[in-house]
Amino acid sequence: MSATYVYGLVGADARLPEDLKGLGPSGRVSTIAHGEVAAIVGDVPVDRPIGTRDDLLAHEAVVDAVAATTAVLPMRFPAVVESDGVVEELIAPHHDHFVDVLDALDGKVQFTLKGRYEQDVVLAELVEEDPEIRALQEKVRELPEDASYYDRVRLGELVVTALEERRDDEGERLVQRLEPFAAEVVAHRPGQPDDVVNAAFLVERARIGEFEDAVEDTGRDLAGRVRLRLLGPLAPYDFVPEG
């Protein structure tokens, strides 16, 4: 019995883009339908385990290309099942649930917005606004490095704390500004103190232009302080229901 790679699920009547290239040796991508749901499938490498960065990029390229034209429920990477199990174990037992999820995602795509402070600019703001940071910075400048070790550690702690407080406030306001243009929003905790925002927006296709314009306006207002990067349209990775 052969193994099959599953990229995601779509409606049974969905048409795949013609230029899809899968992660398997043949590169072919097709669908296996059951009722109102179809699985996007392909072959798997037989000479190595799946899980490389290239495999992940191929997985995302397939589901993002499909998402550009139709609702898709992406599978978590990597998803390998026996060929007979695509219908019997994956689709059939959960058919009605998948139909409901695809209906909820119909006409929507994900955009992911990431933003990072221009570090020199924001650090200068912190020094100017916080007397304790400013005084400690002036103190360590006047001392040899070995004599100011603990002061430097304390300065670093103060800067990180102040930066995180500012990040949390500005990041929340940034998401709130764009929230009216999205059907749903998932905000993730930024990984670094100078990461301002990492949020996913589920946007109706009819409002993509409106959403992108709002992001551009926001970027202009933050120019010189925050670098924004908008990714999308993408498959709705952050809006896949649990279970």
Side-chain angles (χ1 to χ4, degrees):
M1 191 175 294
S2 61
T4 298
Y5 190 85
V6 183
Y7 296 90
L9 302 170
V10 292
D13 58 352
R15 298 183 62 180
L16 300 183
E18 296 181 358
D19 56 350
L20 292 180
K21 182 173 177 57
L23 56 80
S26 74
R28 289 192 297 270
V29 178
S30 60
T31 58
I32 297 175
H34 174 76
E36 299 177 52
V37 179
I40 308 167
V41 300
D43 55 348
V44 300
V46 296
D47 58 344
R48 62 174 179 83
I50 294 176
T52 67
R53 174 172 171 76
D54 286 344
D55 290 335
L56 173 60
L57 293 176
H59 172 98
E60 292 178 343
V62 168
V63 291
D64 288 343
V66 174
T69 59
T70 191
V72 58
L73 177 60
M75 296 293 289
R76 298 191 185 280
F77 173 83
V80 179
V81 299
E82 296 293 343
S83 297
D84 291 347
V86 174
V87 171
E88 296 176 3
E89 299 175 14
L90 176 61
I91 301 178
H94 313 286
H95 176 272
D96 293 347
H97 171 68
F98 291 150
V99 170
D100 290 343
V101 173
L102 288 169
D103 284 346
L105 295 174
D106 188 37
K108 304 179 183 73
V109 291
Q110 175 172 322
F111 284 84
T112 297
L113 181 67
K114 299 185 178 184
R116 172 167 287 187
Y117 280 128
E118 295 286 1
Q119 197 171 76
D120 291 345
V121 173
V122 177
L123 289 180
E125 291 175 359
L126 295 179
V127 170
E128 181 179 352
E129 298 169 12
D130 190 310
E132 186 177 6
I133 291 177
R134 183 168 61 253
L136 202 53
Q137 185 187 61
E138 291 172 355
K139 179 180 178 181
V140 299
R141 281 178 178 169
E142 298 172 357
L143 295 173
E145 186 170 343
D146 57 347
S148 62
Y149 173 77
Y150 293 106
D151 287 327
R152 291 179 187 275
V153 170
R154 176 59 179 160
L155 177 60
E157 292 172 345
L158 289 174
V159 168
V160 168
T161 299
L163 196 58
E164 288 179 340
E165 290 175 354
R166 175 166 300 203
R167 183 265 319 270
D168 290 347
D169 177 61
E170 292 190 332
E172 182 178 356
R173 285 191 281 114
L174 194 159
V175 170
Q176 289 175 346
R177 177 172 175 173
L178 297 174
E179 201 167 12
F181 303 94
E184 293 182 50
V185 179
V186 174
H188 300 286
R189 179 76 177 173
Q192 301 296 326
D194 58 349
D195 290 337
V196 185
V197 64
N198 179 9
F201 298 82
L202 189 65
V203 180
E204 296 176 6
R205 295 182 194 275
R207 301 192 70 187
I208 287 177
E210 189 180 358
F211 175 76
E212 290 177 332
D213 288 345
V215 173
E216 281 196 24
D217 289 343
T218 303
R220 278 193 291 269
D221 291 344
L222 296 173
R225 294 189 68 254
V226 178
R227 300 191 306 277
L228 294 181
R229 183 163 65 105
L230 183 65
L231 307 174
L234 307 169
Y237 302 103
D238 287 279
F239 301 94
V240 176
E242 295 293 334

